[in-house]
Amino acid sequence: MYDAIVVGARVAGSPLAMHLARRGYRVLAVDRATFPSDTVSTHYIHQNGLARLRAWGLLDELLGTEPAAIRQAHFGYRGLQLSGWAEPVDGIDTAYAPRRTVLDALLVDAARRAGAEVIEGFTVAGLVFSEGRVVGIRGQERDRPMREFRAPIVVGADGCRSMVAAQAGAEAYKVVPATGVNYYAYYSGLDGDLHHRVGLHETWCGAWPTHDGLTVAAVICGRSRFKEFRRDVPGNYQAVWDEIHPELGAQMRDQGRRESDFVAMPHADNYYRQPWGPGWALVGDAAYHKDPYPGFGITDAFIHGEILAERLDQALSGERPFDDALAEYHKLRDEMSSENYEFTTTLSAFGELSPRLRGIFGAIRKSPEWTTRLFGLFAGGVGHDEIFSPEAVRRLYEETGTPHDRRVHPAGSA
Ligand SMILES: Cc1cc2nc3c(=O)[nH]c(=O)nc-3n(C[C@H](O)[C@H](O)[C@H](O)COP(=O)(O)OP(=O)(O)OC[C@H]3O[C@@H](n4cnc5c(N)ncnc54)[C@H](O)[C@@H]3O)c2cc1C
């Protein structure tokens, strides 16, 4: 009998197992993958995600693997372009995009060092129920007999296609259909900044450095262009770069070298799932998924996993009932993420910006301070209200000498 079982041991599962094991609980984490291993991701971690790693005592270990430091960003949306960087978030002034082969293995090790039992290569076939509650899991390692493990709480950290969510009957809500298909590859010989640009024709391109002198360079094309795109992936991929970001497109052709195959991945829909029920909970992509366009997935998995661990500690220690603790996790998760969710689903459609957003971004472009603030929003150090509230927009327009268009911002508000 364990205190908690975690299904999935990557960026959501391993930190959760680590937090609970550090608090003295008997934790089992299982994953059908073995580590180190890669998974589909372009693995950019924002400063507030890195701050969590530092708080857990893991950032120095990650930096010891020498991921490239990122300190300059270039953001573009349909012709509107901004360059700059965020103020430090909790003292973190640099971003990193460590390979998942490195990051996930480091997190699995940290969970084990904390005392969690981790079984790799173990596929969970199903949940075990008793009187309407989840009481455990059944599964097996390849060629080994089926085994059953029990615990008062089973957490699904098993990604978008979560088996735990499906079997527990977790309802999805606020679903926004996915818009894009992602193609990425690793290049040598490119510059070391973060590039992030939406073009005019339902396309996006982005690149940032990772380990070993390589840059992960990605293109997203709208689903309507998917069939046409996949007829000639290398040609269409290069054409998107040449069209949206000709300077980096030229670097790729003239001095860069593609060092990997292309990874192709249609994005999953955006959704929230009911993240708990009798004997079960969800975290990471299993619980909440949004388009990877702004790169919030890993950071959110870290932050929400920490909140869940605190609430599970309260429940497992008898301090408060499970239902009470997990309902609070649900509420906090939704409150903390709702503005980023709306921002993500709006921008990742790659469509025309609303006049309001176009006005705001246009004004921000005139001011280095406001540009820094906008990058701070991505980095997790600046709240949406500091840029988008009526008061903030009024200040933005005043400070940048932008005429206030009352059709866009009625009654002088935003
Ligand atoms: C193309 C693309 C680019 C992205 N780029 C970024 C980025 O730059 N930055 C960022 O922050 N996020 C990015 N993301 C999102 C990010 O990768 C995810 O948010 C993150 O991986 C979610 O982590 P997780 O631990 O919840 O799930 P996952 O990483 O999906 O891990 C789930 C684990 O559960 C295991 N599992 C599943 N089912 C079972 C089972 N039945 N039994 C046992 N084990 C099981 C799997 O083997 C897997 O290891 C990107 C996503 C995509 C698709």
Side-chain angles (χ1 to χ4, degrees), residues 93-112:
D93 63 358
T94 306
Y96 299 94
R99 292 295 297 261
R100 295 289 296 262
T101 43
V102 174
L103 175 69
D104 296 9
L106 184 151
L107 295 171
V108 169
D109 274 359
R112 279 206 177 103

mmCIF file with all atom_site columns, all heavy atoms in Angstrom, residues 93-112:
data_model
loop_
_atom_site.group_PDB
_atom_site.id
_atom_site.type_symbol
_atom_site.label_atom_id
_atom_site.label_alt_id
_atom_site.label_comp_id
_atom_site.label_asym_id
_atom_site.label_entity_id
_atom_site.label_seq_id
_atom_site.pdbx_PDB_ins_code
_atom_site.Cartn_x
_atom_site.Cartn_y
_atom_site.Cartn_z
_atom_site.occupancy
_atom_site.B_iso_or_equiv
_atom_site.pdbx_formal_charge
_atom_site.auth_seq_id
_atom_site.auth_comp_id
_atom_site.auth_asym_id
_atom_site.auth_atom_id
_atom_site.pdbx_PDB_model_num
ATOM 1   N N   . ASP A 1 93  ? 17.201 35.846 -14.403 1.00 0.00 ? 93  ASP A N   1
ATOM 2   C CA  . ASP A 1 93  ? 17.233 36.791 -15.531 1.00 0.00 ? 93  ASP A CA  1
ATOM 3   C C   . ASP A 1 93  ? 17.484 36.099 -16.868 1.00 0.00 ? 93  ASP A C   1
ATOM 4   O O   . ASP A 1 93  ? 17.666 36.758 -17.886 1.00 0.00 ? 93  ASP A O   1
ATOM 5   C CB  . ASP A 1 93  ? 18.307 37.858 -15.286 1.00 0.00 ? 93  ASP A CB  1
ATOM 6   C CG  . ASP A 1 93  ? 19.708 37.264 -15.219 1.00 0.00 ? 93  ASP A CG  1
ATOM 7   O OD1 . ASP A 1 93  ? 19.845 36.031 -15.333 1.00 0.00 ? 93  ASP A OD1 1
ATOM 8   O OD2 . ASP A 1 93  ? 20.672 38.035 -15.068 1.00 0.00 ? 93  ASP A OD2 1
ATOM 9   N N   . THR A 1 94  ? 17.517 34.784 -16.873 1.00 0.00 ? 94  THR A N   1
ATOM 10  C CA  . THR A 1 94  ? 17.887 34.030 -18.070 1.00 0.00 ? 94  THR A CA  1
ATOM 11  C C   . THR A 1 94  ? 16.872 32.913 -18.270 1.00 0.00 ? 94  THR A C   1
ATOM 12  O O   . THR A 1 94  ? 16.361 32.369 -17.290 1.00 0.00 ? 94  THR A O   1
ATOM 13  C CB  . THR A 1 94  ? 19.286 33.389 -17.851 1.00 0.00 ? 94  THR A CB  1
ATOM 14  O OG1 . THR A 1 94  ? 20.184 34.429 -17.477 1.00 0.00 ? 94  THR A OG1 1
ATOM 15  C CG2 . THR A 1 94  ? 19.803 32.693 -19.091 1.00 0.00 ? 94  THR A CG2 1
ATOM 16  N N   . ALA A 1 95  ? 16.597 32.599 -19.522 1.00 0.00 ? 95  ALA A N   1
ATOM 17  C CA  . ALA A 1 95  ? 15.736 31.430 -19.791 1.00 0.00 ? 95  ALA A CA  1
ATOM 18  C C   . ALA A 1 95  ? 16.589 30.315 -20.406 1.00 0.00 ? 95  ALA A C   1
ATOM 19  O O   . ALA A 1 95  ? 17.678 30.580 -20.937 1.00 0.00 ? 95  ALA A O   1
ATOM 20  C CB  . ALA A 1 95  ? 14.607 31.818 -20.738 1.00 0.00 ? 95  ALA A CB  1
ATOM 21  N N   . TYR A 1 96  ? 16.074 29.100 -20.331 1.00 0.00 ? 96  TYR A N   1
ATOM 22  C CA  . TYR A 1 96  ? 16.778 27.942 -20.898 1.00 0.00 ? 96  TYR A CA  1
ATOM 23  C C   . TYR A 1 96  ? 15.744 27.041 -21.575 1.00 0.00 ? 96  TYR A C   1
ATOM 24  O O   . TYR A 1 96  ? 14.566 27.041 -21.210 1.00 0.00 ? 96  TYR A O   1
ATOM 25  C CB  . TYR A 1 96  ? 17.497 27.142 -19.804 1.00 0.00 ? 96  TYR A CB  1
ATOM 26  C CG  . TYR A 1 96  ? 18.549 27.946 -19.075 1.00 0.00 ? 96  TYR A CG  1
ATOM 27  C CD1 . TYR A 1 96  ? 18.237 28.612 -17.892 1.00 0.00 ? 96  TYR A CD1 1
ATOM 28  C CD2 . TYR A 1 96  ? 19.837 28.060 -19.590 1.00 0.00 ? 96  TYR A CD2 1
ATOM 29  C CE1 . TYR A 1 96  ? 19.190 29.375 -17.224 1.00 0.00 ? 96  TYR A CE1 1
ATOM 30  C CE2 . TYR A 1 96  ? 20.794 28.827 -18.925 1.00 0.00 ? 96  TYR A CE2 1
ATOM 31  C CZ  . TYR A 1 96  ? 20.464 29.479 -17.748 1.00 0.00 ? 96  TYR A CZ  1
ATOM 32  O OH  . TYR A 1 96  ? 21.407 30.236 -17.096 1.00 0.00 ? 96  TYR A OH  1
ATOM 33  N N   . ALA A 1 97  ? 16.245 26.272 -22.525 1.00 0.00 ? 97  ALA A N   1
ATOM 34  C CA  . ALA A 1 97  ? 15.376 25.298 -23.195 1.00 0.00 ? 97  ALA A CA  1
ATOM 35  C C   . ALA A 1 97  ? 16.090 23.944 -23.202 1.00 0.00 ? 97  ALA A C   1
ATOM 36  O O   . ALA A 1 97  ? 16.565 23.484 -24.241 1.00 0.00 ? 97  ALA A O   1
ATOM 37  C CB  . ALA A 1 97  ? 15.062 25.756 -24.614 1.00 0.00 ? 97  ALA A CB  1
ATOM 38  N N   . PRO A 1 98  ? 16.207 23.322 -22.030 1.00 0.00 ? 98  PRO A N   1
ATOM 39  C CA  . PRO A 1 98  ? 16.967 22.067 -21.947 1.00 0.00 ? 98  PRO A CA  1
ATOM 40  C C   . PRO A 1 98  ? 16.276 20.932 -22.693 1.00 0.00 ? 98  PRO A C   1
ATOM 41  O O   . PRO A 1 98  ? 15.045 20.860 -22.702 1.00 0.00 ? 98  PRO A O   1
ATOM 42  C CB  . PRO A 1 98  ? 16.996 21.777 -20.445 1.00 0.00 ? 98  PRO A CB  1
ATOM 43  C CG  . PRO A 1 98  ? 15.782 22.465 -19.907 1.00 0.00 ? 98  PRO A CG  1
ATOM 44  C CD  . PRO A 1 98  ? 15.584 23.684 -20.756 1.00 0.00 ? 98  PRO A CD  1
ATOM 45  N N   . ARG A 1 99  ? 17.042 20.072 -23.300 1.00 0.00 ? 99  ARG A N   1
ATOM 46  C CA  . ARG A 1 99  ? 16.459 18.906 -23.973 1.00 0.00 ? 99  ARG A CA  1
ATOM 47  C C   . ARG A 1 99  ? 15.678 18.076 -22.959 1.00 0.00 ? 99  ARG A C   1
ATOM 48  O O   . ARG A 1 99  ? 16.083 17.929 -21.814 1.00 0.00 ? 99  ARG A O   1
ATOM 49  C CB  . ARG A 1 99  ? 17.563 18.033 -24.595 1.00 0.00 ? 99  ARG A CB  1
ATOM 50  C CG  . ARG A 1 99  ? 18.279 18.672 -25.764 1.00 0.00 ? 99  ARG A CG  1
ATOM 51  C CD  . ARG A 1 99  ? 17.361 18.875 -26.943 1.00 0.00 ? 99  ARG A CD  1
ATOM 52  N NE  . ARG A 1 99  ? 16.832 17.639 -27.490 1.00 0.00 ? 99  ARG A NE  1
ATOM 53  C CZ  . ARG A 1 99  ? 17.315 17.016 -28.577 1.00 0.00 ? 99  ARG A CZ  1
ATOM 54  N NH1 . ARG A 1 99  ? 18.331 17.541 -29.239 1.00 0.00 ? 99  ARG A NH1 1
ATOM 55  N NH2 . ARG A 1 99  ? 16.767 15.905 -29.005 1.00 0.00 ? 99  ARG A NH2 1
ATOM 56  N N   . ARG A 1 100 ? 14.556 17.513 -23.412 1.00 0.00 ? 100 ARG A N   1
ATOM 57  C CA  . ARG A 1 100 ? 13.747 16.694 -22.495 1.00 0.00 ? 100 ARG A CA  1
ATOM 58  C C   . ARG A 1 100 ? 14.496 15.420 -22.094 1.00 0.00 ? 100 ARG A C   1
ATOM 59  O O   . ARG A 1 100 ? 14.232 14.854 -21.033 1.00 0.00 ? 100 ARG A O   1
ATOM 60  C CB  . ARG A 1 100 ? 12.398 16.392 -23.135 1.00 0.00 ? 100 ARG A CB  1
ATOM 61  C CG  . ARG A 1 100 ? 11.521 17.621 -23.357 1.00 0.00 ? 100 ARG A CG  1
ATOM 62  C CD  . ARG A 1 100 ? 10.979 18.203 -22.058 1.00 0.00 ? 100 ARG A CD  1
ATOM 63  N NE  . ARG A 1 100 ? 10.095 17.300 -21.377 1.00 0.00 ? 100 ARG A NE  1
ATOM 64  C CZ  . ARG A 1 100 ? 8.765  17.329 -21.444 1.00 0.00 ? 100 ARG A CZ  1
ATOM 65  N NH1 . ARG A 1 100 ? 8.184  18.277 -22.144 1.00 0.00 ? 100 ARG A NH1 1
ATOM 66  N NH2 . ARG A 1 100 ? 8.024  16.450 -20.782 1.00 0.00 ? 100 ARG A NH2 1
ATOM 67  N N   . THR A 1 101 ? 15.409 14.963 -22.924 1.00 0.00 ? 101 THR A N   1
ATOM 68  C CA  . THR A 1 101 ? 16.234 13.819 -22.525 1.00 0.00 ? 101 THR A CA  1
ATOM 69  C C   . THR A 1 101 ? 16.976 14.140 -21.232 1.00 0.00 ? 101 THR A C   1
ATOM 70  O O   . THR A 1 101 ? 17.143 13.271 -20.373 1.00 0.00 ? 101 THR A O   1
ATOM 71  C CB  . THR A 1 101 ? 17.278 13.510 -23.621 1.00 0.00 ? 101 THR A CB  1
ATOM 72  O OG1 . THR A 1 101 ? 17.828 14.744 -24.082 1.00 0.00 ? 101 THR A OG1 1
ATOM 73  C CG2 . THR A 1 101 ? 16.681 12.764 -24.791 1.00 0.00 ? 101 THR A CG2 1
ATOM 74  N N   . VAL A 1 102 ? 17.396 15.403 -21.090 1.00 0.00 ? 102 VAL A N   1
ATOM 75  C CA  . VAL A 1 102 ? 18.164 15.825 -19.915 1.00 0.00 ? 102 VAL A CA  1
ATOM 76  C C   . VAL A 1 102 ? 17.217 16.173 -18.764 1.00 0.00 ? 102 VAL A C   1
ATOM 77  O O   . VAL A 1 102 ? 17.346 15.669 -17.645 1.00 0.00 ? 102 VAL A O   1
ATOM 78  C CB  . VAL A 1 102 ? 19.029 17.060 -20.275 1.00 0.00 ? 102 VAL A CB  1
ATOM 79  C CG1 . VAL A 1 102 ? 19.734 17.613 -19.043 1.00 0.00 ? 102 VAL A CG1 1
ATOM 80  C CG2 . VAL A 1 102 ? 20.021 16.714 -21.377 1.00 0.00 ? 102 VAL A CG2 1
ATOM 81  N N   . LEU A 1 103 ? 16.249 17.056 -19.042 1.00 0.00 ? 103 LEU A N   1
ATOM 82  C CA  . LEU A 1 103 ? 15.371 17.575 -17.983 1.00 0.00 ? 103 LEU A CA  1
ATOM 83  C C   . LEU A 1 103 ? 14.564 16.457 -17.316 1.00 0.00 ? 103 LEU A C   1
ATOM 84  O O   . LEU A 1 103 ? 14.511 16.354 -16.084 1.00 0.00 ? 103 LEU A O   1
ATOM 85  C CB  . LEU A 1 103 ? 14.411 18.617 -18.587 1.00 0.00 ? 103 LEU A CB  1
ATOM 86  C CG  . LEU A 1 103 ? 13.367 19.164 -17.630 1.00 0.00 ? 103 LEU A CG  1
ATOM 87  C CD1 . LEU A 1 103 ? 14.006 20.037 -16.545 1.00 0.00 ? 103 LEU A CD1 1
ATOM 88  C CD2 . LEU A 1 103 ? 12.299 19.973 -18.372 1.00 0.00 ? 103 LEU A CD2 1
ATOM 89  N N   . ASP A 1 104 ? 13.922 15.622 -18.123 1.00 0.00 ? 104 ASP A N   1
ATOM 90  C CA  . ASP A 1 104 ? 13.019 14.621 -17.538 1.00 0.00 ? 104 ASP A CA  1
ATOM 91  C C   . ASP A 1 104 ? 13.795 13.588 -16.715 1.00 0.00 ? 104 ASP A C   1
ATOM 92  O O   . ASP A 1 104 ? 13.352 13.173 -15.635 1.00 0.00 ? 104 ASP A O   1
ATOM 93  C CB  . ASP A 1 104 ? 12.184 13.941 -18.640 1.00 0.00 ? 104 ASP A CB  1
ATOM 94  C CG  . ASP A 1 104 ? 11.253 14.933 -19.350 1.00 0.00 ? 104 ASP A CG  1
ATOM 95  O OD1 . ASP A 1 104 ? 11.383 16.150 -19.114 1.00 0.00 ? 104 ASP A OD1 1
ATOM 96  O OD2 . ASP A 1 104 ? 10.413 14.499 -20.155 1.00 0.00 ? 104 ASP A OD2 1
ATOM 97  N N   . ALA A 1 105 ? 14.992 13.206 -17.206 1.00 0.00 ? 105 ALA A N   1
ATOM 98  C CA  . ALA A 1 105 ? 15.807 12.239 -16.456 1.00 0.00 ? 105 ALA A CA  1
ATOM 99  C C   . ALA A 1 105 ? 16.252 12.842 -15.125 1.00 0.00 ? 105 ALA A C   1
ATOM 100 O O   . ALA A 1 105 ? 16.264 12.170 -14.087 1.00 0.00 ? 105 ALA A O   1
ATOM 101 C CB  . ALA A 1 105 ? 17.017 11.822 -17.289 1.00 0.00 ? 105 ALA A CB  1
ATOM 102 N N   . LEU A 1 106 ? 16.574 14.153 -15.162 1.00 0.00 ? 106 LEU A N   1
ATOM 103 C CA  . LEU A 1 106 ? 16.990 14.836 -13.931 1.00 0.00 ? 106 LEU A CA  1
ATOM 104 C C   . LEU A 1 106 ? 15.838 14.845 -12.913 1.00 0.00 ? 106 LEU A C   1
ATOM 105 O O   . LEU A 1 106 ? 16.035 14.633 -11.713 1.00 0.00 ? 106 LEU A O   1
ATOM 106 C CB  . LEU A 1 106 ? 17.410 16.251 -14.321 1.00 0.00 ? 106 LEU A CB  1
ATOM 107 C CG  . LEU A 1 106 ? 17.976 17.220 -13.315 1.00 0.00 ? 106 LEU A CG  1
ATOM 108 C CD1 . LEU A 1 106 ? 18.929 18.176 -14.029 1.00 0.00 ? 106 LEU A CD1 1
ATOM 109 C CD2 . LEU A 1 106 ? 16.887 18.024 -12.628 1.00 0.00 ? 106 LEU A CD2 1
ATOM 110 N N   . LEU A 1 107 ? 14.616 15.041 -13.397 1.00 0.00 ? 107 LEU A N   1
ATOM 111 C CA  . LEU A 1 107 ? 13.458 15.082 -12.492 1.00 0.00 ? 107 LEU A CA  1
ATOM 112 C C   . LEU A 1 107 ? 13.149 13.686 -11.938 1.00 0.00 ? 107 LEU A C   1
ATOM 113 O O   . LEU A 1 107 ? 12.786 13.548 -10.759 1.00 0.00 ? 107 LEU A O   1
ATOM 114 C CB  . LEU A 1 107 ? 12.236 15.657 -13.230 1.00 0.00 ? 107 LEU A CB  1
ATOM 115 C CG  . LEU A 1 107 ? 12.373 17.128 -13.663 1.00 0.00 ? 107 LEU A CG  1
ATOM 116 C CD1 . LEU A 1 107 ? 11.220 17.541 -14.579 1.00 0.00 ? 107 LEU A CD1 1
ATOM 117 C CD2 . LEU A 1 107 ? 12.441 18.056 -12.451 1.00 0.00 ? 107 LEU A CD2 1
ATOM 118 N N   . VAL A 1 108 ? 13.293 12.675 -12.774 1.00 0.00 ? 108 VAL A N   1
ATOM 119 C CA  . VAL A 1 108 ? 13.079 11.291 -12.291 1.00 0.00 ? 108 VAL A CA  1
ATOM 120 C C   . VAL A 1 108 ? 14.100 10.977 -11.194 1.00 0.00 ? 108 VAL A C   1
ATOM 121 O O   . VAL A 1 108 ? 13.758 10.434 -10.140 1.00 0.00 ? 108 VAL A O   1
ATOM 122 C CB  . VAL A 1 108 ? 13.189 10.276 -13.463 1.00 0.00 ? 108 VAL A CB  1
ATOM 123 C CG1 . VAL A 1 108 ? 13.237 8.851  -12.941 1.00 0.00 ? 108 VAL A CG1 1
ATOM 124 C CG2 . VAL A 1 108 ? 12.020 10.442 -14.442 1.00 0.00 ? 108 VAL A CG2 1
ATOM 125 N N   . ASP A 1 109 ? 15.345 11.357 -11.424 1.00 0.00 ? 109 ASP A N   1
ATOM 126 C CA  . ASP A 1 109 ? 16.398 11.130 -10.416 1.00 0.00 ? 109 ASP A CA  1
ATOM 127 C C   . ASP A 1 109 ? 16.074 11.843 -9.116  1.00 0.00 ? 109 ASP A C   1
ATOM 128 O O   . ASP A 1 109 ? 16.267 11.307 -8.027  1.00 0.00 ? 109 ASP A O   1
ATOM 129 C CB  . ASP A 1 109 ? 17.735 11.701 -10.915 1.00 0.00 ? 109 ASP A CB  1
ATOM 130 C CG  . ASP A 1 109 ? 18.466 10.707 -11.770 1.00 0.00 ? 109 ASP A CG  1
ATOM 131 O OD1 . ASP A 1 109 ? 17.947 9.593  -11.955 1.00 0.00 ? 109 ASP A OD1 1
ATOM 132 O OD2 . ASP A 1 109 ? 19.555 11.067 -12.275 1.00 0.00 ? 109 ASP A OD2 1
ATOM 133 N N   . ALA A 1 110 ? 15.573 13.089 -9.245  1.00 0.00 ? 110 ALA A N   1
ATOM 134 C CA  . ALA A 1 110 ? 15.251 13.876 -8.046  1.00 0.00 ? 110 ALA A CA  1
ATOM 135 C C   . ALA A 1 110 ? 14.125 13.209 -7.262  1.00 0.00 ? 110 ALA A C   1
ATOM 136 O O   . ALA A 1 110 ? 14.148 13.192 -6.024  1.00 0.00 ? 110 ALA A O   1
ATOM 137 C CB  . ALA A 1 110 ? 14.859 15.296 -8.442  1.00 0.00 ? 110 ALA A CB  1
ATOM 138 N N   . ALA A 1 111 ? 13.142 12.644 -7.975  1.00 0.00 ? 111 ALA A N   1
ATOM 139 C CA  . ALA A 1 111 ? 12.049 11.946 -7.283  1.00 0.00 ? 111 ALA A CA  1
ATOM 140 C C   . ALA A 1 111 ? 12.600 10.734 -6.532  1.00 0.00 ? 111 ALA A C   1
ATOM 141 O O   . ALA A 1 111 ? 12.256 10.489 -5.368  1.00 0.00 ? 111 ALA A O   1
ATOM 142 C CB  . ALA A 1 111 ? 10.978 11.524 -8.296  1.00 0.00 ? 111 ALA A CB  1
ATOM 143 N N   . ARG A 1 112 ? 13.482 10.007 -7.198  1.00 0.00 ? 112 ARG A N   1
ATOM 144 C CA  . ARG A 1 112 ? 14.072 8.820  -6.541  1.00 0.00 ? 112 ARG A CA  1
ATOM 145 C C   . ARG A 1 112 ? 14.905 9.220  -5.327  1.00 0.00 ? 112 ARG A C   1
ATOM 146 O O   . ARG A 1 112 ? 14.796 8.603  -4.261  1.00 0.00 ? 112 ARG A O   1
ATOM 147 C CB  . ARG A 1 112 ? 14.988 8.080  -7.529  1.00 0.00 ? 112 ARG A CB  1
ATOM 148 C CG  . ARG A 1 112 ? 14.243 7.188  -8.479  1.00 0.00 ? 112 ARG A CG  1
ATOM 149 C CD  . ARG A 1 112 ? 15.147 6.046  -8.972  1.00 0.00 ? 112 ARG A CD  1
ATOM 150 N NE  . ARG A 1 112 ? 14.344 5.185  -9.814  1.00 0.00 ? 112 ARG A NE  1
ATOM 151 C CZ  . ARG A 1 112 ? 14.405 5.183  -11.159 1.00 0.00 ? 112 ARG A CZ  1
ATOM 152 N NH1 . ARG A 1 112 ? 15.250 5.971  -11.814 1.00 0.00 ? 112 ARG A NH1 1
ATOM 153 N NH2 . ARG A 1 112 ? 13.632 4.366  -11.844 1.00 0.00 ? 112 ARG A NH2 1
#
